[in-house]
């Protein structure tokens, strides 16, 4: 029993420790529910488990308590997953409304611009005709007619008749110009209203994206709390319910044996790669993730902050976590990198999973469509990469022959500035920051 823990009567046993999982539901403005947060402390120690075997009553109490704790963890995860999915749907609806609003605003802005151009053309036409009328002396025609001889008068009457027709034409032109003005103003008002509406939609979409990211982060925290303890709790249950007691040393030995087997498989794959026989790359996401976890366990594949390695681990364990998947071609790219270098560091995979809205935001290949369509390598062969160094170029040439046509490749300007931009067959490259190497599928 850990020091400082007060002793309780045997009737209470140790079940009190497991009530430490608390579900905190906070009501937000508008009556919605925020994501539940899981807090857990005082997980049973192996000493507690062994002590509970001393009597049937204590053992049953400990079994019930551990079972309760496991179920509470699962309940927390389910509640967090449900809320993350709900927030995701709300975000998608807001983004769809924003897209519709943008299309409407663009259409009305284009119509307003076209009608404004038409109105300006009508005013120009009226001005040109009016200028011609002024040059013809139309303002003095009546006076000239009264003072002219009969012969001159007939000529002037003819001119006056022509001027009358011209005046009617001018009036028609001005009338059309006025109508065009009205149409242009109405269209401008509509475009302004649509633009204002778009601003509101954009703010709502941004708020929904942030809420979805927050719910996702809380869901991941709950799931990580479960996965961090569930294996040991299940082993403790087995120790209590089986005839043979399982010790902590045996449990840890089992964990170590699994890690050693995975590391051995990873080493064998690396040895084949070094001998020039990399062999076929699996197309099965589960198998790819399991191979990658072998590199993780041997310290040859590492993450940064926030660490995305757990996304690979869950796929390797057969878990399907909302918004935490990784595209198969991205997993393959990481396996190929591992086959080529002694160590690999990845800084980003699925930003949707970790609730990161940065860089290209929700339009990033790391985030869009559930996320996991890109990987960022920050080190290759134990050396930091800027996407233009020797290791990066070696990996690019290999991946360019493997990745699907239309896959994305970052750091274009980094290589151009270094004079090392290779000819590309399958990749389409683009500008990106020179502190990593970005690779994405052709989503």
């Amino acid at each position: 029993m850990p020091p400082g823990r007060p002793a309780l009567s045997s009737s209470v046993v140790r079940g009190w420790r497991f009530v430490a999982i608390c579900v905190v539901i906070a009501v937000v403005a508008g009556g919605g529910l925020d994501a539940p947060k899981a807090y857990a402390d005082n997980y049973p120690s192996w000493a507690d488990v062994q002590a509970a075997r001393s009597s049937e009553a204590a053992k049953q109490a400990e079994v019930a308590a551990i079972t309760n704790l496991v179920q509470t963890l699962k309940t927390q995860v389910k509640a967090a997953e449900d809320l993350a999915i709900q927030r995701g749907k709300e975000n998608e609806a807001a983004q769809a409304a924003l897209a519709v609003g943008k299309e409407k605003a663009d259409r009305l802005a284009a119509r307003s611009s076209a009608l404004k151009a038409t109105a300006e053309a009508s005013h120009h036409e009226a001005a040109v005709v009016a200028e011609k009328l002024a040059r013809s002396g139309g303002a003095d025609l009546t006076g000239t007619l009264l003072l002219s001889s009969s012969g001159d008068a007939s000529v002037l009457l003819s001119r006056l008749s022509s001027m009358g027709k011209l005046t009617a034409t001018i009036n028609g032109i001005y009338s059309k110009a006025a109508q065009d003005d009205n149409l242009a103003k109405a269209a401008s008002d509509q475009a302004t209203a649509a633009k204002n509406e778009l601003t509101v939609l954009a703010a709502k979409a941004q708020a929904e994206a942030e809420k979805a990211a927050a719910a996702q982060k809380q869901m991941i925290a709950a799931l990580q709390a479960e996965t961090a303890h569930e294996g040991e709790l299940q082993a403790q249950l087995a120790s209590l319910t089986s005839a043979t007691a399982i010790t902590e040393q045996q449990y840890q030995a089992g964990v170590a044996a699994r890690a050693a087997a995975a590391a051995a498989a990873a080493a064998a794959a690396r040895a084949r790669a070094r001998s020039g026989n990399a062999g076929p790359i699996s197309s099965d996401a589960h198998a790819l993730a399991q191979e990658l976890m072998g590199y993780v366990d041997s310290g040859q594949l590492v993450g940064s902050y926030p660490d995305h390695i757990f996304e690979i681990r869950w796929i390797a364990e057969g878990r399907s976590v909302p918004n935490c998947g990784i595209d198969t071609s991205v997993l393959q790219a990481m396996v190929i990198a591992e086959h080529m270098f002694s160590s690999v560091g990845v800084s980003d995979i699925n930003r949707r999973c970790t609730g990161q809205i940065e860089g290209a935001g929700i339009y990033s290949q790391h985030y869009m469509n559930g996320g996991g369509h890109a990987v960022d390598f920050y080190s290759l062969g134990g050396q930091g990469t800027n996407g233009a160094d020797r290791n990066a170029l070696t990996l690019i040439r290999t991946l360019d022959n493997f990745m699907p046509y239309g896959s994305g490749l970052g750091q274009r300007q980094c290589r151009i500035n270094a004079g090392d931009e290779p000819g590309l067959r399958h990749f389409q490259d683009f500008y990106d920051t020179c502190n990593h190497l970005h690779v994405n599928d052709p989503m």
Side-chain angles (χ1 to χ4, degrees):
M1 183 177 294
R5 177 179 292 172
L8 297 181
S9 66
S10 59
S11 61
V12 178
V13 197
R14 284 175 297 277
W16 66 274
R17 293 192 307 272
F18 308 106
V19 185
I21 294 286
C22 305
V23 178
V24 179
I25 303 294
V27 179
V28 298
L33 293 181
D34 203 351
K37 300 177 182 178
Y39 299 95
D41 60 11
N42 294 329
Y43 285 95
S45 70
W46 283 94
D48 294 334
V49 172
Q50 299 310 315
R53 291 177 63 89
S54 62
S55 76
E56 189 61 29
K59 183 170 72 172
Q60 291 306 315
E62 195 80 351
V63 167
I66 293 177
T67 302
N68 239 3
L69 180 53
V70 170
Q71 185 54 50
T72 304
L73 285 168
K74 290 182 180 296
T75 300
Q76 279 293 109
V77 170
K78 181 63 168 62
E81 282 187 353
D82 288 347
L83 188 58
I85 292 171
Q86 175 191 333
R87 292 285 185 254
K89 290 179 179 178
E90 291 167 355
N91 176 34
E92 289 171 4
Q95 298 300 332
L98 177 61
V100 171
K102 187 176 186 308
E103 188 278 333
K104 176 183 177 182
D106 290 345
R107 175 168 39 82
L108 289 175
R111 182 169 182 268
S112 173
S113 180
L115 288 173
K116 182 179 179 182
T118 299
E120 289 175 351
S122 296
H123 278 285
H124 178 70
E125 182 183 0
V128 169
V129 174
E131 183 182 0
K132 288 182 179 179
L133 175 62
R135 283 202 304 267
S136 70
D140 297 325
L141 282 178
T142 303
T144 302
L145 178 62
L146 294 174
L147 299 173
S148 299
S149 64
S150 59
D152 292 334
S154 61
V155 174
L156 287 171
L157 283 171
S158 175
R159 289 182 62 197
L160 186 60
S161 174
S162 296
M163 293 302 299
K165 293 176 182 178
L166 182 58
T167 300
T169 299
I170 293 172
N171 289 338
I173 291 172
Y174 272 109
S175 176
K176 182 178 183 302
Q179 291 175 0
D180 289 342
D181 270 341
N182 290 335
L183 288 173
K185 184 180 183 307
S188 177
D189 290 344
Q190 290 176 336
T192 299
K195 186 177 180 180
N196 292 338
E197 180 184 352
L198 184 62
T199 300
V200 174
L201 289 172
K204 179 177 173 59
Q206 176 66 24
E208 293 299 339
E210 291 173 358
K211 284 165 61 179
Q216 183 74 19
K217 287 179 181 178
Q218 293 183 21
M219 185 266 283
I220 294 304
L223 187 53
Q224 287 178 324
E226 179 200 24
T227 55
H229 297 284
E230 186 177 15
E232 187 170 9
L233 290 172
Q234 295 292 359
Q236 290 173 337
L237 276 178
S239 179
L240 286 167
T241 56
S242 65
T244 304
I246 300 173
T247 67
E248 181 179 8
Q249 289 73 24
Q250 290 171 320
Y251 169 73
Q252 295 297 345
V255 172
R258 288 191 294 273
R270 187 176 304 285
R272 289 196 303 271
R274 286 174 177 169
S275 68
N277 179 26
I281 302 298
S282 174
S283 59
D284 178 71
H286 183 245
L288 290 165
Q290 286 184 320
E291 180 177 348
L292 288 170
M293 287 312 303
Y295 297 122
V296 171
D297 293 337
S298 65
Q300 295 167 309
L301 175 61
V302 296
S304 60
Y305 179 81
D307 195 344
H308 290 260
I309 297 298
F310 66 83
E311 298 162 9
I312 303 173
R313 186 181 301 279
W314 287 341
I315 295 172
E317 292 174 350
R319 288 177 177 264
S320 178
V321 181
N323 298 320
C324 286
I326 304 175
D327 186 78
T328 300
S329 63
V330 172
L331 290 168
Q332 290 172 324
M334 286 188 279
V335 166
I336 290 172
E338 280 292 342
H339 286 183
M340 296 179 65
F341 301 101
S342 58
S343 65
V344 173
V346 294
S347 53
D348 263 325
I349 306 177
N350 191 329
R351 290 181 187 167
R352 185 72 175 267
C353 184
T354 53
Q356 294 168 257
I357 303 178
E358 58 187 56
I362 63 173
Y363 303 106
S364 165
Q365 298 285 71
H366 293 286
Y367 193 96
M368 290 176 64
N369 295 342
H373 299 278
V375 58
D376 287 349
F377 298 100
Y378 73 86
S379 71
L380 298 168
Q383 301 293 321
T385 180
N386 61 5
D389 55 277
R390 184 178 62 182
N391 286 343
L393 292 172
T394 300
L395 180 58
I396 288 169
R397 292 187 183 98
T398 301
L399 291 179
D400 190 39
N401 292 321
F402 181 86
M403 293 291 287
Y405 179 79
S407 293
L409 177 70
Q411 290 67 48
R412 171 181 168 83
Q413 86 284 6
C414 313
R415 292 184 292 276
I416 290 176
N417 292 340
D420 289 329
E421 175 69 340
L424 300 172
R425 294 178 58 231
H426 292 168
F427 277 130
Q428 295 178 355
D429 60 354
F430 53 86
Y431 282 45
D432 201 356
T433 52
C434 302
N435 59 0
H436 65 286
L437 176 64
H438 172 101
V439 174
N440 65 256
D441 66 22
M443 211 178 83

